[in-house]
């Protein structure tokens, strides 16, 4: 209790109360620009924090992390391009809501869900971090492989009634993830002698090409004289979330938050995987799964609560055990060390007051996200009033700049156009892009841990079913695919009956 009160006393410093909103605004801006992630925002700001007190420095970086994770939802909802991979699941229903004239409602729900998910995960970090961290440490290669398979089972639910095309898309994504240097053998794969491909294709590059560039190409036939919609400025903020919709979103928020915390606390995963798995679970358990992907507000709620809950989740193994949960927390861990704080069990004993101040500060960061986000949400919504021909140029410029800044390489700019053209033709053939993205995200996790598990078991595949957690994930994944297949079959049969009755 003494450490708690001491941490609370440190927290009420004017520098901290000023640093948190500044960090959030910076994080939201960085997260909203495709190609610029919160990781980059944290890296750029670390040198600026050298002269600050450790608590102030860490909290401004945490604010960038949380703000960046929320900021990616803004472009996902408004222009069908997630700012970060953690927000990819948000565009399933966020962008259709914008097309339905409900951009403000979608943005408001994204903010609400991000705040709820982030706030609850911050409380979990404060009161229940050690036991959760111990459970996630039980994960070995077999469990990670099973978790990746569980994530890939989402394909059954996002393949738009064509699981075959979904699987083909996932295979394309997995192929893309294998390009470059093999991390175990060190050999080059699918580079065709091009040294520029030795580091592989960055996820953010593929994401920009698949979603942003293909979206612009899909609207290449846009005619400003006939296709432009006159938007009433007052109508943009008129569409608000009703009390009934808030009540409907309670269950998705709960599921998204729980899954976000658990997946986030599992090292090597991240908010993107958490959002996809949570979205899949909510869609499966919904009484109206056919509305998901067409502008269902519950889809936005579950995705955004999951990815922001993962932010607090990733802090659990880092602070309690010294194991970073994802790339951003690995960078944050470096920042901790720069300021003389070594994450791990000893941090609780040696500098417990500062640690409690940081954990309490994460709660303040999430409350501030709600306040800061509310101020700016109505301005974001007005982006829908910008004529498409102008918006397309702006988006294209940001995409190219974001791609170049990823590795300071023009090759990455070329790659986004390659992916954009590929995605354009796949969309014309009615392929969904999300399975491709899932393949790119989960391919490396699945391949690496599959090979590690087989090395540990001397080539025996029984390792995947002998370990209880691994077996549980595989059974859930199998059950998930089975339920979706049966539901899809029954849905198609009912549509066939209705069609025959109409004839």
């Amino acid at each position: 209790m003494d450490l708690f009160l001491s941490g609370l006393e440190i927290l009420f410093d004017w520098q901290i109360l000023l640093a948190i909103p500044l960090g959030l605004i910076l994080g939201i801006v960085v997260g909203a620009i495709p190609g610029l992630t919160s990781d980059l925002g944290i890296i750029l700001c670390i040198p600026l924090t050298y002269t600050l007190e450790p608590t102030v420095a860490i909290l401004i970086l945490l604010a960038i992390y949380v703000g960046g994770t929320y900021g990616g939802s803004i472009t996902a909802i408004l222009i069908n391009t997630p700012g970060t991979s953690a927000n990819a699941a948000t565009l399933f229903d966020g962008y259709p809501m914008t097309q339905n004239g409900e951009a403000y409602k979608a943005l408001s729900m994204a903010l609400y869900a991000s705040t709820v998910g982030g706030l609850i995960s911050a409380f979990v970090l404060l009161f229940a971090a050690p036991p959760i961290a111990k459970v996630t440490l039980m994960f070995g290669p077999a469990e990670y492989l099973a978790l990746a398979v569980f994530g890939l089972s989402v394909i059954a639910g996002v393949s738009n009634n064509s699981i075959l095309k979904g699987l083909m898309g996932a295979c394309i994504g997995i192929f893309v993830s294998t390009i470059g240097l093999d991390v175990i053998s060190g050999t080059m794969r699918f580079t065709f002698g091009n040294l520029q491909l030795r580091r592989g294709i960055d996820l953010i590059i593929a994401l920009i090409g698949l979603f942003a560039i293909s979206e612009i190409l899909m609207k290449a036939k846009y005619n400003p004289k006939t296709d432009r919609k006159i938007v009433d400025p007052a109508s943009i903020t008129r569409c608000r979330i009703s009390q009934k919709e808030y009540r409907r979103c309670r269950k998705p928020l709960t599921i998204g938050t729980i899954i976000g915390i658990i997946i986030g606390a599992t090292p090597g995963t991240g908010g993107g995987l958490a959002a996809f798995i949570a979205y899949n679970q909510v869609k499966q358990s919904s009484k109206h799964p056919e509305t998901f992907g067409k502008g269902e507000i519950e889809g936005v709620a579950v995705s955004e609560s999951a990815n922001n809950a993962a932010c607090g989740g990733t802090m659990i193994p880092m602070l309690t055990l010294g194991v970073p949960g994802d790339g951003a927390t690995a960078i944050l861990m470096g920042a901790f060390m720069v300021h003389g704080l070594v994450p791990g069990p000893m941090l609780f004993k040696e500098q417990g007051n500062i640690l409690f101040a940081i954990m309490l500060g994460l709660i303040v960061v999430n409350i501030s996200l709600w306040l800061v986000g509310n101020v700016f949400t109505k301005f974001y919504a007005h982006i829908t009033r910008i004529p498409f021909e102008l918006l397309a140029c702006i988006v294209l410029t940001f995409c190219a700049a974001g791609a170049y800044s990823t590795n300071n390489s023009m090759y990455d700019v070329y790659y986004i156009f390659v992916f954009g053209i590929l995605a354009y033709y796949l969309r014309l053939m009615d392929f969904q892009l999300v399975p491709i993205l899932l393949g790119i995200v989960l391919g490396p996790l699945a391949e690496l841990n599959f090979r590690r598990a087989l090395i540990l078991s001397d080539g025996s595949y029984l390792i995947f079913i002998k370990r209880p957690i691994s077996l549980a994930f595989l059974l859930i994944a199998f059950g998930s695919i089975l339920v979706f297949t049966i539901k899809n079959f029954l849905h198609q049969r009912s549509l066939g009956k209705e069609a025959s009755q109409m004839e």
Side-chain angles (χ1 to χ4, degrees):
M1 182 54 79
D2 290 342
L3 291 175
F4 183 89
L5 293 175
S6 178
L8 203 60
E9 189 178 343
I10 294 172
L11 190 62
F12 285 101
D13 182 304
W14 69 269
Q15 291 185 57
I16 291 177
L17 299 178
L18 181 65
I20 288 175
L22 286 175
L24 282 170
I25 292 170
L26 181 62
I28 291 170
V29 171
V30 170
I33 299 174
L36 301 183
T37 61
S38 53
D39 298 20
L40 183 63
I42 295 169
I43 290 169
L44 293 175
C45 281
I46 286 177
L48 304 178
T49 65
Y50 286 162
T51 57
L52 299 175
E53 290 291 322
T55 316
V56 181
I58 298 301
L59 284 177
I60 194 169
L61 297 176
L62 274 178
I64 294 171
Y65 180 33
V66 172
T69 306
Y70 158 70
S73 69
I74 297 168
T75 43
I77 291 169
L78 295 178
I79 59 174
N80 199 27
T81 304
T84 69
S85 59
N87 308 98
T90 308
L91 57 80
F92 291 157
D93 292 285
Y95 187 59
M97 285 184 75
T98 296
Q99 291 178 311
N100 297 337
E102 298 177 323
Y104 183 72
K105 183 188 285 188
L107 289 168
S108 300
M109 179 47 72
L111 176 62
Y112 177 69
S114 297
T115 306
V116 170
L119 199 55
I120 294 174
S121 71
F123 276 108
V124 170
L125 173 67
L126 184 63
F127 295 110
I132 292 175
K134 285 180 182 173
V135 171
T136 59
L137 272 193
M138 294 167 66
F139 276 54
E143 285 75 16
Y144 277 110
L145 182 275
L147 186 62
V149 172
F150 181 37
L152 286 169
S153 69
V154 176
I155 292 168
V158 297
S159 299
N160 199 21
N161 298 329
S162 177
I163 292 179
L164 180 61
K165 286 185 177 177
L167 290 173
M168 289 170 67
C171 289
I172 294 172
I174 291 171
F175 167 73
V176 171
S177 74
T178 60
I179 295 173
L181 204 63
D182 184 337
V183 291
I184 290 184
S185 67
T187 55
M188 304 279 270
R189 300 187 300 187
F190 307 114
T191 58
F192 307 103
N194 185 349
L195 291 178
Q196 293 296 331
L197 283 172
R198 67 184 183 283
R199 56 180 167 78
I201 304 292
D202 275 287
L203 172 62
I204 199 71
I205 299 299
L207 192 144
I208 292 172
L210 288 173
F211 292 95
I213 304 299
S214 73
E215 183 68 23
I216 293 171
L217 291 174
M218 288 296 287
K219 291 183 177 176
K221 294 180 180 177
Y222 174 84
N223 186 336
K225 293 181 180 175
T226 57
D227 297 342
R228 176 176 294 173
K229 295 178 182 176
I230 305 300
V231 181
D232 176 12
S235 70
I236 291 174
T237 54
R238 195 182 296 148
C239 189
R240 296 174 182 275
I241 306 169
S242 65
Q243 288 302 317
K244 186 180 176 183
E245 286 170 326
Y246 273 119
R247 286 195 293 274
R248 269 176 53 205
C249 289
R250 284 178 190 165
K251 183 181 168 187
L253 285 170
T254 306
I255 293 175
T257 302
I258 293 172
I259 291 178
I261 293 170
I262 295 172
I263 298 292
T266 307
T269 52
L273 178 62
F276 278 121
I277 290 177
Y279 183 88
N280 193 41
Q281 295 307 305
V282 168
K283 184 178 177 181
Q284 272 190 5
S285 61
S286 173
K287 294 177 181 175
H288 45 81
E290 69 282 358
T291 61
F292 280 73
K294 299 175 182 174
E296 175 56 68
I297 195 167
E298 292 178 34
V300 176
V302 65
S303 306
E304 283 303 305
S305 59
N307 62 33
N308 267 67
C311 289
T314 55
M315 298 290 291
I316 292 172
M318 188 192 84
L319 289 180
T320 56
L321 304 167
V323 179
D326 63 0
T329 44
I331 299 165
L332 280 170
M333 194 166 161
F336 269 75
M337 293 178 178
V338 166
H339 288 280
L341 305 169
V342 181
M346 294 306 291
L347 187 59
F348 282 85
K349 293 180 180 178
E350 294 173 354
Q351 290 165 308
N353 56 341
I354 295 179
L355 185 62
F356 271 93
I358 290 169
M359 291 194 291
L360 287 166
L362 189 59
I363 295 172
V364 178
V365 166
N366 282 286
I367 294 171
S368 302
L369 175 66
W370 170 251
L371 300 173
V372 171
N374 261 316
V375 171
F376 293 104
T377 298
K378 53 180 174 291
F379 297 112
Y380 303 143
H382 282 283
I383 291 175
T384 55
R385 295 177 60 201
I386 300 175
F388 175 75
E389 58 272 29
L390 177 59
L391 187 62
C393 295
I394 296 171
V395 171
L396 203 58
T397 305
F398 276 120
C399 288
Y404 180 78
S405 67
T406 304
N407 294 301
N408 291 329
S409 169
M410 274 304 292
Y411 281 93
D412 287 333
V413 181
Y414 305 147
Y415 295 154
I416 64 170
F417 289 102
V418 171
F419 276 98
I421 294 168
L422 172 69
Y424 169 71
Y425 283 106
L426 287 174
R427 288 174 72 173
L428 290 181
M429 291 186 285
D430 203 26
F431 275 81
Q432 296 296 305
L433 300 180
V434 175
I436 302 175
L437 182 63
L438 276 171
I440 298 173
V441 172
L442 297 177
L445 184 71
E447 184 201 358
L448 182 63
N449 288 290
F450 177 72
R451 293 167 67 182
R452 280 178 175 170
L454 289 182
I455 291 170
L456 287 174
S457 65
D458 287 330
S460 171
Y461 292 94
L462 291 176
I463 189 173
F464 300 114
I465 56 175
K466 278 184 176 177
R467 297 174 69 95
I469 297 175
S470 168
L471 179 62
F473 274 123
L474 290 175
L475 289 175
I476 294 170
F478 177 73
S480 175
I481 295 169
L482 193 65
V483 167
F484 258 116
T485 306
I486 293 172
K487 276 188 176 180
N488 188 32
F489 173 74
L490 295 175
H491 181 63
Q492 293 296 329
R493 196 171 68 170
S494 67
L495 288 177
K497 280 185 180 177
E498 287 177 10
S500 61
Q501 286 173 358
M502 288 178 70
E503 288 173 1

